[in-house]
């Protein structure tokens, strides 16, 4: 954790609604929102673009050494360029969906990106969503949430977005990997979003933040 700034960690499986919840929550509290999955996707996009086998960890690590990765914030949202290029909508391509779990299982990739995620705290209080934010990136934050939903609901959500995404398979890979697997971090408030709308989930996170003293912090964001 930084000296003064604080992180709200939102973890959960693919298509659990955590990105949307993180976005709405960050806007409501006037905080920066960091999508850590986009960072793993950006590195994967470069792996795919160069025709590197995503399962070839040595080749992925060699590429990593060459990459210039820059992270920032624009209008409250995290941004990232790889070699000066923002991959944009290509981050969500079928090829990236299929390769991202392999690339994000490479420990060296995680080391580089976790360091960049921690650096984002210098820019102010933030909401960060991902798989290991409460367990690895900001283990000391008391503000941890785990957003879940049934596999069927999550598959339907991705299909409604027009994406081909084997969410169940991706989760199994993300949960099985040795380094920083997807798991419910100790102390996290678990919210099942299967039957809830976004606003209802956001309400639950605000309630959880209140119980954990977010709004009582000195200089902390007051709820509007
Ligand atoms: O949240 P997402 O579906 O955009 O994430 C894409 C992939 O990135 C996910 O399958 C696993 C990986 N990821 C990770 O390993 N750790 C994170 N903190 C965020 C994402």
């Amino acid at each position: 954790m930084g000296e003064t700034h604080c992180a709200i960690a939102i973890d959960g499986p693919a298509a659990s609604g955590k990105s949307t919840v993180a976005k709405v929550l960050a806007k409501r509290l006037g905080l920066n929102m960091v999508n850590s999955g986009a960072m793993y996707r950006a590195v994967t996009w470069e792996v795919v673009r160069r025709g590197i086998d995503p399962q070839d960890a040595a080749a992925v690590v060699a590429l990593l050494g060459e990459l210039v990765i820059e992270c920032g914030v624009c209008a409250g949202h995290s941004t990232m360029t790889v070699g000066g290029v923002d991959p944009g909508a290509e981050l969500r391509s079928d090829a990236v969906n299929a390769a991202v779990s392999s690339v994000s299982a490479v420990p060296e990739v995680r080391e580089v990106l976790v360091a960049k995620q921690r650096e984002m705290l210098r820019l102010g209080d933030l909401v960060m969503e991902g798989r290991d934010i409460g367990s690895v990136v900001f283990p000391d934050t008391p503000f941890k949430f785990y957003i879940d939903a049934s596999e069927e609901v999550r598959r339907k959500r991705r299909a409604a977005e027009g994406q081909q995404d084997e969410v169940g398979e991706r989760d199994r890979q993300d949960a099985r990997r040795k380094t920083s697997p997807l798991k419910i971090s100790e102390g996290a408030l678990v919210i099942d979003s299967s039957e809830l709308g976004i606003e209802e989930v956001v309400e639950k996170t605000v309630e959880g933040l209140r119980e954990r003293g977010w709004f009582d912090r000195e200089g902390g964001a007051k709820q509007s």
Side-chain angles (χ1 to χ4, degrees), residues 11-12 14-15 18-19 35-38 40-41 92 100-101 104-105 110 117 129-133 137 158 165 170-171 174 177 180:
D11 290 302
K18 62 188 186 311
S19 295
N35 179 337
S36 67
Y40 291 94
R41 286 175 179 275
R92 314 239 146 235
V100 68
S101 286
S104 58
R110 306 202 68 81
Q117 289 154 15
E129 60 101 339
R131 303 292 188 291
D132 61 340
I133 311 306
V137 182
R158 276 294 193 262
D165 190 2
R170 210 142 61 78
D171 295 341
D174 294 342
R177 70 177 178 229
S180 318

Side-chain angles (χ1 to χ4, degrees), residues 1-210:
M1 303 283 291
E3 278 176 20
T4 53
H5 299 310
C6 219
I8 297 173
I10 301 193
D11 290 302
S16 59
K18 62 188 186 311
S19 295
T20 314
V21 169
K23 256 184 238 160
V24 175
L25 182 67
K27 191 162 181 208
R28 184 151 157 186
L29 301 181
L31 310 178
N32 290 327
M33 135 72 177
V34 182
N35 179 337
S36 67
M39 299 185 178
Y40 291 94
R41 286 175 179 275
V43 173
T44 305
W45 169 78
E46 186 68 12
V47 166
V48 169
R49 202 173 71 85
R50 298 218 194 176
I52 293 169
D53 175 0
Q55 312 238 23
D56 183 346
V60 171
V61 172
L63 168 69
L64 194 65
E66 286 176 32
L67 291 184
V68 179
I69 298 170
E70 286 184 320
C71 299
V73 169
C74 179
H77 282 227
S78 56
T79 58
M80 179 163 168
T81 58
V82 179
V85 180
D86 176 351
E90 286 180 38
L91 289 181
R92 314 239 146 235
S93 70
D94 294 346
V96 169
N97 282 340
V100 68
S101 286
S102 299
V103 173
S104 58
V106 177
E108 289 85 346
V109 171
R110 306 202 68 81
E111 204 179 308
V112 167
L113 295 185
V114 166
K116 293 200 173 285
Q117 289 154 15
R118 289 183 178 143
E119 273 174 28
M120 302 294 290
L121 206 54
R122 280 185 307 161
L123 302 175
D125 287 349
L126 55 78
V127 180
M128 187 176 291
E129 60 101 339
R131 303 292 188 291
D132 61 340
I133 311 306
S135 58
V136 174
V137 182
F138 299 118
D140 296 335
T141 183
F143 309 112
K144 300 181 188 185
F145 300 90
Y146 187 92
I147 315 285
D148 211 347
S150 72
E151 189 173 324
E152 195 193 343
V153 165
R154 294 186 294 109
R155 210 177 320 108
K156 282 188 182 154
R157 285 179 184 162
R158 276 294 193 262
E161 290 167 358
Q163 281 196 55
Q164 190 185 335
D165 190 2
E166 296 300 329
V167 289
E169 185 46 39
R170 210 142 61 78
D171 295 341
R172 281 183 278 282
Q173 281 194 53
D174 294 342
R176 261 198 320 248
R177 70 177 178 229
K178 286 204 184 76
T179 315
S180 318
L182 167 68
K183 64 171 182 190
I184 302 174
S185 137
E186 215 183 306
L189 176 65
V190 180
I191 302 171
D192 189 326
S193 76
S194 305
E195 309 281 326
L196 300 177
I198 292 299
E199 276 305 328
E200 291 170 296
V201 181
V202 171
E203 270 314 315
K204 285 184 184 286
T205 58
V206 169
E207 197 45 45
L209 287 172
R210 189 174 291 118

